[in-house]
Amino acid sequence: GVIFLGEIPTGFITDKIGYRKSLILAQVLLLGARSLLLAAFVSRSLALFVVEAVVEGTATCFTSGTGSAYLYDLYGENGYLVKTAHAENFGTAGFIISTVAYAGIYKISGMEGLLITTVVMNIIAVVCSFFLRSESSKTVIADRKEVQILAVFKNKKAFLFVISLAIFSIAWLLINFFYVEKLENCGLPVEWMSLIILSYSAVQMLAEPILGKLSDGKNGKSGRKKLPAVTAATAGVAFLLFGVVKFRAAVLLLMLILPLLLNLPEYLLMNLENQFVDEAECGSQRAAMLSVLNMGVNLVEILTLSASAFLTKIGIQWCFVFVGCFLMAIALLFARIQK
């Protein structure tokens, strides 16, 4: 709820204070949230848990769209894809390390030890955030009038981005929450899930070299324009197959590559979003514009999580099939707008 209500206002604040300052502020807020979580756990205070949720939601608002805008401002259209994947790989590496270290820390010092470790790592994150490069200092001088953000939705592309981001959000929810059920349906041990998560996280890190290869000058401009449609269609086929296939080896293989296949069109979509902001002459309000486009994602996440019992009832396999079909439909739309 905090993210849904706060994303657009924080986007405007970010455009006023700058991307780097917003990212630093987000890390400071996140440190505050983690400290509150530790205090809430130690004191068993429900009120502190509620405050922690609000502070963490606010921190998330300040990062939503900001990271994308920051990287696009620093590296432009040509360098954005690889740098985005590179930045995400650091997060993935951190996730792998924390997952592996979790059991040891918990065994030695319990939940308090885990929470203290989280606070310490957040302190390090705050310190590191001050070493972020400053974004470009150039400003839009030719046109000083305030851009009406919502007016951009007169362009059909804006709706396509909102719908596409929402579909990607649903796809990630299925991967994050319903992989386990697919394992059980195939008669595979649930204990394998941790190893599968670590494995597909490692495979995800291949997105950087793959995007670097696909987006280099050798493929030509027309070839690069086809990438969003091709990668979205590939992800769609993989999701559809994952929903219907029951052969264990095939299921495990698809589990390992689905996140990577979903990352590729998602990064390309984020690049197209930033290009769309430039086309709409909203560069001076890039963070706010990206936040508006992300609003559909927040709404879909709330609705999907609320309807999780219903999704389980109709069969998770059909959810993967439907998402696969939607991804292929998105691919067709991408193919049309990129002509």
Side-chain angles (χ1 to χ4, degrees):
V2 173
I3 297 172
F4 184 79
L5 295 173
E7 183 154 12
I8 294 177
T10 53
F12 282 110
I13 293 172
T14 293
D15 287 321
K16 293 292 185 183
I17 67 175
Y19 307 138
R20 179 177 176 273
K21 289 179 181 177
S22 185
L23 292 171
I24 293 172
L25 177 58
Q27 290 302 320
V28 172
L29 286 170
L30 198 57
L31 172 59
R34 295 293 182 257
S35 300
L36 284 168
L37 184 60
L38 174 60
F41 178 79
V42 172
S43 64
R44 302 295 191 271
S45 170
L46 178 60
L48 284 178
F49 274 117
V50 173
V51 175
E52 187 278 333
V54 173
V55 175
E56 184 167 349
T58 306
T60 302
C61 288
F62 274 106
T63 57
S64 177
T66 305
S68 179
Y70 174 74
L71 290 173
Y72 192 84
D73 187 89
L74 281 182
Y75 300 104
E77 180 183 338
N78 294 328
Y80 173 81
L81 278 175
V82 174
K83 291 298 182 181
T84 297
H86 184 69
E88 289 292 332
N89 279 352
F90 278 99
T92 303
F95 170 76
I96 292 172
I97 293 169
S98 63
T99 303
V100 173
Y102 166 85
I105 296 172
Y106 184 78
K107 186 175 181 180
I108 294 171
S109 53
M111 184 58 71
E112 285 188 20
L114 283 172
L115 292 174
I116 291 170
T117 303
T118 302
V119 171
V120 171
M121 297 310 296
N122 273 126
I123 292 172
I124 295 172
V126 169
V127 174
C128 289
S129 69
F130 282 94
F131 291 93
L132 288 172
R133 283 174 53 188
S134 295
E135 65 265 27
S136 172
S137 60
K138 64 179 182 293
T139 56
V140 180
I141 299 174
D143 188 1
R144 284 293 187 183
K145 70 176 186 296
E146 288 294 313
V147 179
Q148 295 297 317
I149 295 292
L150 295 180
V152 175
F153 282 92
K154 293 177 181 178
N155 189 319
K156 293 179 181 179
K157 277 188 181 181
F159 288 101
L160 175 58
F161 286 127
V162 171
I163 294 169
S164 300
L165 287 167
I167 297 302
F168 279 105
S169 174
I170 294 173
W172 282 116
L173 287 172
L174 289 176
I175 288 174
N176 291 331
F177 292 101
F178 298 110
Y179 254 19
V180 174
E181 186 165 328
K182 183 69 176 182
L183 275 179
E184 291 177 331
N185 291 341
C186 293
L188 293 168
V190 177
E191 291 75 18
W192 287 16
M193 197 63 231
S194 295
L195 179 59
I196 289 171
I197 291 173
L198 291 173
S199 299
Y200 77 58
S201 297
V203 172
Q204 271 183 281
M205 298 178 77
L206 294 174
E208 182 182 352
I210 290 173
L211 286 171
K213 189 70 175 176
L214 292 176
S215 60
D216 64 18
K218 296 178 182 178
N219 292 311
K221 190 173 182 180
S222 61
R224 291 196 297 274
K225 280 188 173 183
K226 295 176 183 177
L227 288 177
V230 172
T231 53
T234 303
V237 171
F239 264 80
L240 195 152
L241 288 174
F242 187 71
V244 299
V245 168
K246 295 183 179 180
F247 183 55
R248 292 181 179 181
V251 168
L252 288 173
L253 176 62
L254 286 167
M255 279 186 165
L256 295 178
I257 64 173
L258 266 183
L260 171 64
L261 294 179
L262 193 61
N263 268 149
L264 297 177
E266 188 175 32
Y267 291 150
L268 290 161
L269 174 64
M270 290 162 63
N271 194 29
L272 288 176
E273 271 189 292
N274 278 288
Q275 292 176 34
F276 174 69
V277 172
D278 288 339
E279 291 171 11
E281 298 181 347
C282 294
S284 61
Q285 294 180 308
R286 187 178 301 278
M289 183 65 188
L290 293 176
S291 294
V292 170
L293 294 175
N294 280 333
M295 286 298 288
V297 175
N298 297 329
L299 182 60
V300 165
E301 286 185 354
I302 292 171
L303 293 175
T304 303
L305 290 173
S306 301
S308 58
F310 173 74
L311 294 176
T312 304
K313 188 176 180 180
I314 66 173
I316 294 303
Q317 68 273 17
W318 290 110
C319 294
F320 279 97
V321 169
F322 292 148
V323 167
C325 292
F326 279 125
L327 285 170
M328 286 187 280
I330 288 172
L332 290 174
L333 292 172
F334 276 145
R336 289 190 64 181
I337 68 169
Q338 290 296 95
K339 283 183 179 180

